[in-house]
Amino acid sequence: MLLLAAAFLVAFVLLLYMVSPLISPKPLALPGAHVVVTGGSSGIGKCIAIECYKQGAFITLVARNEDKLLQAKKEIEKHSINDKQVVLCISVDVSQDYSQVENVIKQAQEKLGPVDMLVNCAGMSLAGKFEDLEVSTFERLMSVNYLGSVYPSRAVITTMKERRVGRIVFVSSQAGQLGLFGFTAYSSSKFAIRGLAEALQMEVKPYNVYVTVAYPPDTDTPGFAEENKTKCSSPLDININTETVSHPELNAGSALCSDEPALTRGRHSLSKQSGGERNQSELIPLNLPLETRLISETTSVCKPEQVAKQIVKDAIEIWGQLEREASGGWALAWKERPCRCMFRLNRAEYRKHRRLLKYLQTWGELCPDCVQRHRKRAPADWADFVFPAYLKSKQTHSMFLMIRSSSSYFGRTRLI
Amino acid sequence: MLLLAAAFLVAFVLLLYMVSPLISPKPLALPGAHVVVTGGSSGIGKCIAIECYKQGAFITLVARNEDKLLQAKKEIEKHSINDKQVVLCISVDVSQDYSQVENVIKQAQEKLGPVDMLVNCAGMSLAGKFEDLEVSTFERLMSVNYLGSVYPSRAVITTMKERRVGRIVFVSSQAGQLGLFGFTAYSSSKFAIRGLAEALQMEVKPYNVYVTVAYPPDTDTPGFAEENKTKCSSPLDININTETVSHPELNAGSALCSDEPALTRGRHSLSKQSGGERNQSELIPLNLPLETRLISETTSVCKPEQVAKQIVKDAIQGNFNSSIGSDGYMLSSLTCGMAPVTSITEGLQQVS
């Protein structure tokens, strides 16, 4: 009996696997595509641009500093694969004024055509205790990280919806998945990006526009170095016993990331500070709150190239997957289902499963056909089109809830 | 062998349950406590203030409109349980300027003593498609909902950490647990509150200060009515077949919430619009994007008193997640992420 149930379950899962390629989003073709990268002059943004360029895309870099933009352009152009590719650089502050950002996007579209993929990589980070952070920090971080992602997205979204193709990538952070000591301002802005992305995806999915949110861990970039220089209070007020601080196994992390034990580096820098000299080339911050420093030391610092590779892969690949972090922290993952407009329930079935349907309905999983059909019919019938067949039986109702609840985020069960 | 493992597991769980009262936060004693409620002049904030007042707390209401504050004060004072209780009203815009908010908190502390519990209930909501929302909406919502929670919290946190006691309550929303169509700006601000709360809880827990985030569903308040008046595009472009729209059982929802079927109300208002007349007293919005309206109609609208009761109960206990009703609880479990867990039951359910 149990074996029979297990066999059914396995067969069902296999069936889903086989059916899924038929209903998944078509991958975005990068050769010839126009990719706009904000914050593309350094760090993860630059590596994403390089990654896309290597696959034949036309790049527009958007950042504030013109010198850094030109340097980045030279670096990116080394990776060209044909003569037609272009790297365009436009200097603007994406968080200041929406009309400026809109103009920049218009300019880019006049030169390189409509935007196929937008990567919102402009951001900054500051850490410190809640009561020690300047009040302006909260405003500034939210402005750069959140509004600096809203404005470009808003500028491209109408064209993407008209053309029925597009990818929007938001770069959040692992601090956008859980709140960390010392990152009250930063975590809030990264959580906000996530909320924006979830709501936006629900709006644009019927138009074949897919949203990707990346959750990179600490990545070895100039931005990270800036974060580490954050001037904060809370001087070291404890005696560091350097012999007891070595936990190399804490740095198991992922194979993708640095092998050098971060905690040993930390110990090295801590002992240096107690010696009075501060070495700013150390990756681990010395003047952050101790707790934040210790948390940073438990994870390894990643290379931006690996982060970028993963982000680009997830943005274009067939599932339109909605998460990734290069360190492989799958437990924090958040994945999006493919379209579920597979089957249709009649009204009686709809009434039977209304409670569960209530939740599913909020996903707004509408494929383009459903959009057409629902526009022609009354609102009540709209619900008939969007629910998969396995809701038809009450037995699977509770099983479905169990499976769903085991995914770490609402509404995002993965078929593969 | 399997039975032995199962028995061990059960014994372990029982042991945890027995030990938990020893390791859970000590509930905050409300009688005589000083509770500050921002956005306390109406809606959920006012009901929270009433709830705390009924249990003997001293209230400070913080809001912008002085008339509404005085009205709310009168209403709250009807529920006093002894002669010493005081309701203090201070008018300020909590999202404008940090120094003003700091002054307000100082004034309140001079009159009623140090703040024991802060409830950040000041907020607003606007809905619309991403490309139709004004750009200033994003800034405004983030300013009111997020910065309007940051400033008061920052003003009270130092004293709470020194005294080693305190509760900070943030009122997020179910839209702060998942993104909903039409709520790009609103969801982002409510997610931001959640991020703030999680990071803050990690910082203040050693000081016996607990952070609670409430995720109320659609609640029948003046703020909700304002959200419904949101001027948006996407006029009704479909024929409404009113006979097929009756699904009273859709509103089973939670026993805590309204019995009146939301969808019937919706049908009522939809048929009125096709008649040409729009009745603004209807709770279901008429000029929101269709999809947002349909989503609203699937959940029942709650009463603010029940929401407030649940929030105060969770805040006193020090629970991080505060959800309303059984579907709220399910949603919280599904979207818990890495949020702190303050009860073993909650932890076990989230894991399973």
Side-chain angles (χ1 to χ4, degrees):
Chain A
M1 183 64 204
L2 208 63
L3 276 172
L4 199 65
F8 263 122
L9 190 64
V10 170
F12 179 64
V13 170
L14 282 171
L15 184 70
L16 285 177
Y17 269 105
M18 291 190 296
V19 167
S20 53
L22 304 169
I23 50 173
S24 50
K26 198 163 147 269
L28 184 77
L30 272 185
H34 180 192
V35 178
V36 176
V37 184
T38 64
S41 60
S42 66
I44 297 179
K46 186 173 74 172
C47 293
I48 289 180
I50 292 177
E51 191 59 36
C52 294
Y53 201 67
K54 280 195 216 170
Q55 301 191 39
F58 289 61
I59 308 287
T60 299
L61 297 177
V62 178
R64 287 168 304 171
N65 189 316
E66 295 194 14
D67 296 325
K68 282 210 228 169
L69 274 171
L70 291 170
Q71 270 185 350
K73 177 178 158 124
K74 279 188 210 148
E75 200 177 324
I76 294 172
E77 281 172 340
K78 293 184 200 156
H79 297 97
S80 75
I81 60 170
N82 63 47
D83 290 332
K84 296 185 192 158
Q85 281 183 290
V86 180
V87 176
L88 182 65
C89 293
I90 308 183
S91 163
V92 75
D93 185 343
V94 289
S95 62
Q96 279 297 88
D97 184 16
Y98 174 63
S99 47
Q100 283 183 9
V101 177
E102 208 178 6
N103 280 340
V104 161
I105 298 290
K106 259 194 203 141
Q107 285 180 41
Q109 299 202 97
E110 276 161 19
K111 296 199 175 149
L112 298 182
V115 178
D116 295 295
M117 180 157 123
L118 168 69
V119 182
N120 291 296
C121 204
M124 60 182 287
S125 166
L126 284 168
K129 282 191 182 171
F130 183 55
E131 60 269 19
D132 296 335
L133 285 169
E134 297 281 336
V135 171
S136 59
T137 306
F138 290 88
E139 294 150 11
R140 195 154 44 112
L141 277 186
M142 194 51 83
S143 173
V144 176
N145 292 349
Y146 169 64
L147 293 178
S149 296
V150 168
Y151 294 161
S153 306
R154 223 187 111 103
V156 301
I157 197 71
T158 321
T159 323
M160 283 188 177
K161 282 173 92 165
E162 280 167 15
R163 296 175 65 227
R164 296 289 199 270
V165 69
R167 296 285 192 273
I168 301 185
V169 180
F170 294 98
V171 179
S172 177
S173 165
Q174 281 185 347
Q177 293 176 305
L178 77 154
L180 294 168
F181 192 111
F183 286 109
T184 33
Y186 182 67
S187 269
S188 317
S189 61
K190 293 304 187 179
F191 262 83
I193 288 178
R194 182 181 175 188
L196 171 68
E198 279 196 29
L200 187 59
Q201 173 72 95
M202 201 186 269
E203 290 191 20
V204 301
K205 186 156 180 201
Y207 300 90
N208 194 36
V209 178
Y210 289 92
V211 176
T212 301
V213 189
Y215 301 101
D218 285 343
T219 310
D220 183 8
T221 64
F224 184 60
E226 280 303 314
E227 172 190 326
N228 295 346
K229 287 184 203 154
T230 310
K231 298 286 171 261
C232 280
S233 66
S234 166
L236 275 183
D237 53 353
I238 54 177
N239 290 323
I240 308 293
N241 184 356
T242 50
E243 288 84 35
T244 59
V245 182
S246 65
H247 292 288
E249 62 271 21
L250 257 183
N251 201 34
S254 152
L256 288 177
C257 296
S258 158
D259 282 337
E260 196 186 33
L263 200 55
T264 311
R265 280 200 304 266
R267 177 174 72 153
H268 187 52
S269 57
L270 285 172
S271 60
K272 275 195 174 177
Q273 174 158 10
S274 45
E277 187 86 16
R278 192 171 68 208
N279 182 357
Q280 281 194 349
S281 65
E282 289 290 353
L283 286 170
I284 303 300
L286 295 169
N287 48 4
L288 284 182
L290 175 64
E291 294 86 344
T292 311
R293 200 177 325 140
L294 290 171
I295 292 173
S296 295
E297 287 168 3
T298 62
T299 65
S300 36
V301 177
C302 270
K303 292 250 166 283
E305 292 82 17
Q306 285 138 343
V307 173
K309 208 171 207 166
Q310 190 64 57
I311 292 176
V312 172
K313 180 165 168 270
D314 283 317
I316 64 174
E317 81 170 18
I318 60 166
W319 287 106
Q321 255 168 249
L322 260 187
E323 65 41 75
R324 201 39 97 167
E325 340 113 25
S327 72
W330 60 270
L332 293 182
W334 164 48
K335 303 170 182 37
E336 183 187 65
R337 295 175 312 167
C339 179
R340 284 182 167 214
C341 297
M342 293 195 285
F343 300 98
R344 179 188 167 157
L345 294 182
N346 62 43
R347 274 195 200 90
E349 287 154 339
Y350 171 75
R351 286 198 197 99
K352 236 178 17 167
H353 303 290
R354 63 214 175 268
R355 167 79 64 114
L356 186 59
L357 300 183
K358 196 195 297 187
Y359 294 112
L360 294 178
Q361 202 166 7
T362 63
W363 285 333
E365 293 283 350
L366 305 172
C367 69
D369 290 330
C370 295
V371 172
Q372 292 306 314
R373 271 180 283 178
H374 110 258
R375 289 291 180 203
K376 291 178 192 155
R377 300 170 66 133
D381 295 338
W382 170 79
D384 289 351
F385 292 96
V386 302
F387 304 110
Y390 53 68
L391 289 177
K392 289 190 181 210
S393 93
K394 266 205 170 151
Q395 284 89 22
T396 54
H397 177 128
S398 48
M399 186 173 78
F400 175 70
L401 276 182
M402 259 172 24
I403 295 172
R404 282 267 322 282
S405 64
S406 65
S407 69
S408 60
Y409 209 83
F410 177 75
R412 277 22 181 199
T413 44
R414 196 179 179 192
L415 287 189
I416 284 186
Chain B
M1 180 66 202
L2 207 63
L3 276 173
L4 199 65
F8 262 122
L9 191 65
V10 169
F12 178 63
V13 169
L14 282 171
L15 184 70
L16 281 178
Y17 272 108
M18 289 189 298
V19 164
S20 56
L22 303 168
I23 50 175
S24 51
K26 194 163 149 266
L28 183 78
L30 272 184
H34 179 193
V35 178
V36 175
V37 184
T38 65
S41 60
S42 65
I44 297 178
K46 187 172 73 171
C47 293
I48 290 180
I50 291 177
E51 191 59 36
C52 294
Y53 201 69
K54 279 195 219 172
Q55 302 190 37
F58 290 61
I59 308 287
T60 299
L61 296 177
V62 177
R64 287 169 301 173
N65 189 317
E66 296 195 12
D67 297 325
K68 281 209 228 170
L69 275 171
L70 291 170
Q71 270 185 350
K73 178 177 156 124
K74 279 188 209 146
E75 201 177 325
I76 295 173
E77 279 173 341
K78 293 184 200 154
H79 297 98
S80 75
I81 58 170
N82 63 48
D83 291 333
K84 297 187 191 156
Q85 282 182 290
V86 179
V87 176
L88 181 64
C89 294
I90 309 184
S91 162
V92 75
D93 184 344
V94 288
S95 62
Q96 280 297 86
D97 184 15
Y98 174 64
S99 46
Q100 282 184 8
V101 177
E102 209 179 4
N103 280 340
V104 161
I105 299 289
K106 260 196 205 140
Q107 285 180 40
Q109 300 201 94
E110 277 161 18
K111 295 201 178 146
L112 300 182
V115 179
D116 293 296
M117 179 155 123
L118 168 69
V119 182
N120 290 297
C121 205
M124 62 183 284
S125 167
L126 283 168
K129 282 190 181 172
F130 183 54
E131 60 270 19
D132 296 336
L133 285 169
E134 298 280 338
V135 171
S136 57
T137 305
F138 291 88
E139 295 150 9
R140 194 155 43 113
L141 278 186
M142 194 52 85
S143 174
V144 175
N145 292 349
Y146 169 65
L147 293 178
S149 297
V150 167
Y151 295 161
S153 307
R154 224 189 108 104
V156 302
I157 197 70
T158 321
T159 324
M160 283 188 177
K161 282 172 91 165
E162 281 168 14
R163 296 176 66 226
R164 297 291 199 268
V165 69
R167 297 285 190 271
I168 300 187
V169 180
F170 294 97
V171 179
S172 176
S173 166
Q174 282 187 346
Q177 293 176 302
L178 76 156
L180 294 170
F181 192 114
F183 287 108
T184 32
Y186 182 67
S187 271
S188 317
S189 60
K190 292 303 188 180
F191 263 82
I193 288 179
R194 182 183 171 178
L196 171 69
E198 281 193 25
L200 188 59
Q201 173 73 95
M202 199 185 271
E203 289 191 21
V204 301
K205 188 163 177 190
Y207 299 89
N208 194 35
V209 178
Y210 289 92
V211 175
T212 301
V213 190
Y215 301 102
D218 284 343
T219 311
D220 184 8
T221 65
F224 186 59
E226 280 303 314
E227 172 189 326
N228 294 346
K229 289 185 204 153
T230 310
K231 299 285 170 262
C232 279
S233 66
S234 168
L236 275 182
D237 55 350
I238 54 178
N239 290 323
I240 309 294
N241 184 357
T242 50
E243 288 82 41
T244 58
V245 182
S246 64
H247 291 290
E249 62 271 26
L250 252 187
N251 199 36
S254 152
L256 287 180
C257 296
S258 159
D259 281 338
E260 196 186 31
L263 202 53
T264 312
R265 278 203 302 270
R267 174 175 73 147
H268 189 51
S269 58
L270 285 172
S271 60
K272 275 197 177 177
Q273 173 159 13
S274 43
E277 188 86 14
R278 192 170 69 208
N279 183 355
Q280 281 193 350
S281 63
E282 288 294 352
L283 287 169
I284 303 301
L286 295 169
N287 48 4
L288 284 181
L290 174 64
E291 294 87 346
T292 313
R293 199 177 327 136
L294 290 171
I295 293 173
S296 296
E297 286 168 3
T298 61
T299 64
S300 38
V301 177
C302 268
K303 294 247 164 285
E305 293 84 16
Q306 285 136 343
V307 172
K309 211 171 206 166
Q310 185 65 46
I311 293 177
V312 172
K313 182 162 163 264
D314 283 317
I316 293 175
Q317 195 52 54
N319 291 336
F320 186 78
N321 286 321
S322 172
S323 49
I324 320 295
S326 54
D327 32 356
Y329 182 69
M330 265 207 277
L331 184 59
S332 284
S333 291
L334 288 172
T335 59
C336 57
M338 298 279 286
V341 167
T342 31
S343 104
I344 292 180
T345 326
E346 199 184 335
L348 285 174
Q349 295 205 320
Q350 284 175 1
V351 165
S352 57

